[in-house]
Amino acid sequence: QVQLVESGGGLVQAGGSLRLSCAASGSIFSIANLGWYRQAPGQQREFVASITRGGSTNYADAVKGRFTISRDNAKNTVYLQMNSLKPEDTAVYLCAAGPGRFNSWGQGTQVTISL
């Protein structure tokens, strides 16, 4: 079992930046892939970005060029640097982990972008 705790959310103006962090604990040896998803009110959860243990990354089209995912394997932490934020980025951001497919989820951190 893997426990994930997100931090770094908040309220920023459009065009601003935030950096989210997610610390993993527990059966961390099982973590090959780490990722971020988001869920806005009344909408389905959507993929944002992922990173493998070796550092290969994948991004949703909506965030390409603005968000950067990274990980520190020594600290068992994954980060999401979010730049040029837009009001449509407003959502709860959830960290995910898994040996292949994601099977562990954090509670989420709220990100709100104002005009």
Side-chain angles (χ1 to χ4, degrees), residues 59-104:
Y59 295 94
D61 288 343
V63 306
K64 279 182 182 177
R66 300 188 298 123
F67 291 12
T68 302
I69 189 170
S70 61
R71 67 189 287 173
D72 185 333
N73 291 328
K75 295 182 178 180
N76 301 313
T77 301
V78 61
Y79 306 96
L80 186 68
Q81 177 66 44
M82 306 187 294
N83 299 328
S84 302
L85 285 161
K86 305 175 182 180
E88 51 263 44
D89 293 319
T90 295
V92 173
Y93 283 70
L94 303 106
C95 180
R101 299 184 67 179
F102 295 123
N103 58 9
S104 296

Side-chain angles (χ1 to χ4, degrees), residues 34-37 47-51 58-60 63 67 69 80 102:
L34 290 163
W36 291 93
Y37 281 69
F47 169 79
V48 175
S50 64
I51 186 168
N58 190 29
Y59 295 94
V63 306
F67 291 12
I69 189 170
L80 186 68
F102 295 123

